Amino acid sequence: MVIYLIYGCAFLAMIVAWVFAQKVRAIPLEADNAQQLDRMKEISSAVANGATTFLAREFRYVAIFAILFSLFMVLTLDNATTPFNEGMFSAAAFLAGAIASCASSVLGMKIATIGNIRTTLRARKGLVDAFKVAFNSGAVMGFGLVGLALFGLISMYVLYEYLLAGQDGSSAHVIMEMIAGFGLGGSTVALFSRVGGGIFTKAADVGADLVGKVEQGIPEDDPRNPAVIADNVGDNVGDIAGMGSDLFGSCAEATCAAMVIGATASAIYAVPGALLYPILVSAIGVPVSLLTTFFARIKPEAKSAEPVLKQQLVLSTILMTIAMSLVTMSDLFMVDQFTVNGMTVTRNGVLISLLAGLWSGLLIGYITEFYTSHAYKPVREVADASNTGPATNIIYGLALGYKSSLIPVIAIALTTYLSWTIAGMYGIAISALGMISTMAIGLTIDAYGPVSDNAGGMAEMLELEPEVRERTDLLDAAGNTTAAIGKGFAIGSAVLTALALFAAFLTRANVESLNLLSPLVFAGTLVGGMLPFLFTAQTMKGVGLAANAMIVEVRRQFKEKPGILQGTEKPDHKKCIQISTSAALKEMIAPGMLVIVTPLVIGYLFGTEALAGLLAGSLISGLVMALSSANAGGAWDNAKKYIEAGAFGGKGSDAHSAAVVGDTVGDPFKDTSGPSINILMKLMAILSLVFAPFFVEYGGVLTKLITK
């Protein structure tokens, strides 16, 4: 029954995504004249083709890596001592997860590049119509991604149970361990999508802003700017495709961690639904999120879409609380109690863990809003600091970012303590699932932001009526806040997911406790704590190198073609897209290899205890680094928008110039390095989990030589 219920929710999610996609596609392209219509199609096609071309090239590299890495999995895991050779099955799950993650990225990006121009057109009629298109475009991403994740996870379980049931040494917990490869595949794609997409979008954004807005004094998204199309392309490949892969990985990994831990408890098999309870959590989130969308309506006289979008988060959290309370208390889906690693876990403990994750996620979202929305004091202080120049703007932004991590860290710490105390390692995994259980609606309002941002850029490039850009800016302002909230959710869920995977790794590697006074553990913790900083340095420098190339190209075009600024010559947008694409693909390799190779090397050379220390260290420093980077970047962005709305002299003032510099510095913080740290934490943890049998048997080579 539970399997059918999960399949039903998966298909419901995909049907809902299809319906929303058809609603967006059905909107015709309308213009005042044939020339405007041609220009509309030209701009829309340029953005869509640029995004498609980038993803096609990126996935070509990802495919080569995935095939080689799957062969590596077969060779290493089939040689380790396991109940039976499981390398082939883990590798197959890895490839399935990678394909599903790629599909979810393409799905969201395709509809976003269709919805952006239609949001612009509907903005000519009014704010209500434009909001509907942007929201529906985001819903395709939200529901489609969750549907793919659910379908992939339950299908891998059904297939492996059918293939392996009855074989000597096979058991449910071994099947769950091999399914973890599905999460590994999804997270590997997410790493390259997040880093590559983030470098692409910020290289174009920085180049467009510094040369266009600061040096030439032309408006944002001005069609004369050669980098403006590349900037719009970047919104789709970074903020849509990259975010989609990231949260697909979170969903798959948190589910796999809970299933691996839960499957070790013999009592859980008394109720078939209890074994699949982790997948059921995300499945129940689909109808809850669908019901929530019916209340996504703004009034014609509304001045902002922000209250409606925040209402979606609150309403979905309340409905999910009710739904999961009923599900968890039902004898069809959860046993009264079971034992994990010697600790008795009750159904009440499971429910409390889930609700702790769910509500702490909402708290993190609101704290993120407080520190990144210009409706509140922190961002206005950053804007005020712009009156004395870029230096003070940047200083205030950095201070805000560091300070903003306090309450989210405390919330995650309390959630961790509570869940671990009442439900052990299983509670940690369930709390991670609780935080992302309403991911369908969370991704909807997150993807809404880039669609609205693109719509504003197209209104500017098409030189439409000023009120059109004003309406899209209202949508975009709400999108900036919801995007920041979405990043807060993504970071919080990444930490709990990584912690759950860490717990599953300890279980699988038979590590009962970690002694911080052990030289191996302590040394591993130090190295792990350094990794997020090195990773950030690599991604930030990648953005810098790519932005340098973009700045040189935009300056060249303005210098060699003076008619561009006069409107008598057309800029070469394709050249800028090529620069961002090539730079992003080149610069994503080093940080990607750092994340993938480090745990494999540490586990092989120094063993499971050193690797556990590495994971713990990266988790602690990564959380603070990710939160402070994302919130500082969001604050710089909205401080600029606050000034552009008329504060401190408005556009063209000295304060505005300083805020533009701060926003440019913050771009890689919030859209490249900060979000990518999520994947560093999760990917290293799930790599360790999947390769645990190999490390147990062959790990610690160097340590054994030293201690002889």
Side-chain angles (χ1 to χ4, degrees):
M1 175 186 173
V2 177
I3 291 175
Y4 294 125
L5 179 58
I6 294 170
Y7 268 121
C9 290
F11 284 118
L12 174 63
M14 289 189 276
I15 290 170
V16 170
W18 181 82
V19 170
F20 278 119
Q22 293 307 110
K23 284 185 176 183
V24 175
R25 288 176 179 274
I27 299 171
L29 294 180
E30 299 172 338
D32 296 334
N33 51 60
Q35 184 179 4
Q36 189 182 65
L37 182 62
D38 290 341
R39 177 66 175 155
M40 194 180 294
K41 291 179 179 178
E42 178 188 352
I43 293 172
S44 179
S45 297
V47 173
N49 292 338
T52 302
T53 300
F54 172 77
L55 280 191
R57 287 186 60 183
E58 181 182 63
F59 288 161
R60 199 177 305 150
Y61 290 104
V62 171
I64 294 171
F65 174 82
I67 292 170
L68 294 175
F69 195 76
S70 62
L71 293 174
F72 175 73
M73 290 175 70
V74 172
L75 292 174
T76 53
L77 294 177
D78 275 350
N79 287 324
T81 301
T82 55
F84 51 88
N85 292 335
E86 62 181 67
M88 181 180 68
F89 295 102
S90 294
F94 169 81
L95 291 174
I99 292 170
S101 184
C102 290
S104 64
S105 296
V106 173
L107 171 73
M109 191 210 68
K110 281 289 186 184
I111 199 63
T113 55
I114 293 171
N116 50 20
I117 186 64
R118 286 160 174 81
T119 302
T120 306
L121 293 177
R122 282 297 191 244
R124 303 184 80 177
K125 296 184 176 182
L127 189 67
V128 174
D129 291 330
F131 172 79
K132 286 180 182 177
V133 181
F135 186 86
N136 290 348
S137 299
V140 177
M141 176 68 154
F143 286 91
L145 183 144
V146 174
L148 285 170
L150 288 172
F151 183 80
L153 284 165
I154 193 62
S155 295
M156 294 303 300
Y157 171 77
V158 171
L159 177 63
Y160 281 13
E161 186 183 44
Y162 172 77
L163 292 175
L164 303 173
Q167 290 194 25
D168 292 339
S170 68
S171 61
H173 75 88
V174 177
I175 293 174
M176 300 304 183
E177 289 166 358
M178 291 186 297
I179 294 175
F182 185 85
L184 175 59
S187 199
T188 302
V189 171
L191 172 66
F192 293 112
S193 291
R194 259 302 194 190
V195 175
I199 292 173
F200 183 106
T201 184
K202 291 305 107 182
D205 200 358
V206 169
D209 283 354
L210 282 183
V211 183
K213 291 168 66 176
V214 177
E215 294 181 8
Q216 300 297 334
I218 59 177
E220 187 172 4
D221 297 314
D222 192 296
R224 294 171 294 176
N225 194 324
V228 71
I229 294 291
D231 187 12
N232 281 266
V233 170
D235 289 337
N236 292 288
V237 300
D239 296 337
I240 297 285
M243 171 62 84
S245 290
D246 183 359
L247 287 178
F248 178 92
S250 286
C251 181
E253 290 161 336
T255 305
C256 290
M259 292 171 73
V260 168
I261 297 170
T264 60
S266 58
I268 210 167
Y269 300 102
V271 176
L275 189 63
L276 298 176
Y277 178 84
I279 307 181
L280 189 62
V281 172
S282 298
I284 297 299
V286 172
V288 166
S289 297
L290 177 59
L291 182 60
T292 305
T293 62
F294 295 138
F295 298 90
R297 300 288 183 270
I298 63 173
K299 297 179 180 179
E301 66 273 14
K303 298 298 182 183
S304 173
E306 194 170 311
V308 175
L309 295 174
K310 289 195 296 185
Q311 180 192 63
Q312 294 283 293
L313 292 174
V314 176
L315 184 58
S316 62
T317 301
I318 294 172
L319 292 176
M320 195 66 186
T321 299
I322 297 170
M324 287 312 302
S325 296
L326 295 174
V327 168
T328 309
M329 291 303 161
S330 171
D331 291 335
L332 293 173
F333 306 115
M334 181 52 66
V335 295
D336 284 329
Q337 63 181 42
F338 53 93
T339 303
V340 175
N341 293 336
M343 180 177 182
T344 300
V345 178
T346 65
R347 75 165 80 224
N348 285 331
V350 172
L351 177 60
I352 293 171
S353 298
L354 187 141
L355 297 183
L358 178 64
W359 284 93
S360 64
L362 184 65
L363 175 62
I364 290 171
Y366 270 91
I367 294 301
T368 303
E369 181 203 5
F370 176 74
Y371 280 102
T372 57
S373 173
H374 59 60
Y376 302 103
K377 184 179 178 181
V379 171
R380 294 188 177 191
E381 286 182 341
V382 176
D384 189 12
S386 303
N387 284 310
T388 50
T392 46
N393 170 283
I394 292 170
I395 290 169
Y396 269 67
L398 288 172
L400 179 149
Y402 296 141
K403 185 178 180 181
S404 70
S405 64
L406 173 64
I407 296 178
V409 168
I410 292 174
I412 292 172
L414 290 175
T415 299
T416 302
Y417 176 78
L418 178 64
S419 301
W420 206 318
T421 301
I422 64 176
M425 294 180 176
Y426 189 73
I428 294 293
I430 292 300
S431 66
L433 280 171
M435 188 171 286
I436 58 173
S437 57
T438 56
M439 187 167 66
I441 200 65
L443 258 177
T444 294
I445 64 174
D446 201 355
Y448 153 94
V451 172
S452 300
D453 190 5
N454 263 204
M458 290 182 173
E460 189 75 38
M461 286 184 279
L462 290 169
E463 300 177 344
L464 299 179
E465 303 84 3
E467 59 266 24
V468 176
R469 182 61 193 254
E470 289 172 8
R471 290 166 186 156
T472 58
D473 280 350
L474 286 175
L475 297 178
D476 185 28
N480 272 341
T481 300
T482 57
I485 291 173
K487 288 182 176 70
F489 268 106
I491 293 167
S493 66
V495 171
L496 289 177
T497 298
L499 188 57
L501 292 167
F502 178 59
F505 164 71
L506 295 179
T507 300
R508 198 177 187 192
N510 300 318
V511 178
E512 295 182 0
S513 62
L514 287 177
N515 181 8
L516 280 177
L517 296 179
S518 164
L520 271 179
V521 175
F522 188 73
T525 304
L526 289 176
V527 175
M530 169 273 301
L531 286 179
F533 291 88
L534 177 58
F535 180 81
T536 298
Q538 290 177 325
T539 51
M540 294 281 277
K541 187 177 180 181
V543 171
L545 291 171
N548 280 339
M550 184 66 71
I551 289 168
V552 169
E553 173 59 23
V554 176
R555 284 174 176 167
R556 182 193 68 78
Q557 290 196 34
F558 280 140
K559 181 179 180 181
E560 296 180 4
K561 297 180 179 180
I564 291 177
L565 289 174
Q566 299 168 9
T568 58
E569 291 184 87
K570 285 188 175 182
D572 185 357
H573 297 295
K574 291 184 179 179
K575 180 65 175 177
C576 292
I577 293 174
Q578 290 171 0
I579 288 173
S580 267
T581 300
S582 299
L585 295 176
K586 177 183 177 183
E587 299 301 330
M588 74 179 184
I589 294 174
M593 289 300 100
L594 173 72
V595 176
I596 292 170
V597 172
T598 301
L600 297 175
V601 171
I602 295 297
Y604 178 66
L605 293 181
F606 300 102
T608 54
E609 286 196 358
L611 180 54
L614 181 89
L615 297 178
S618 66
L619 191 60
I620 294 168
S621 67
L623 168 59
V624 179
M625 191 74 176
L627 285 169
S628 60
S629 296
N631 291 343
W636 276 315
D637 189 359
N638 279 326
K640 179 197 70 174
K641 284 183 167 54
Y642 181 59
I643 294 174
E644 289 176 343
F648 306 117
K651 289 184 178 181
S653 64
D654 290 341
H656 181 242
S657 297
V660 169
V661 175
D663 177 40
T664 305
V665 171
D667 276 335
F669 274 80
K670 69 181 175 67
D671 291 328
T672 306
S673 300
S676 297
I677 293 174
N678 302 348
I679 303 164
L680 175 143
M681 295 184 288
K682 294 183 297 182
L683 184 53
M684 290 206 305
I686 198 166
L687 263 172
S688 304
L689 171 62
V690 170
F691 284 90
F694 178 79
F695 296 142
V696 169
E697 185 165 354
Y698 298 108
V701 173
L702 192 57
T703 304
K704 292 172 184 175
L705 288 175
I706 294 173
T707 54
K708 276 187 179 180

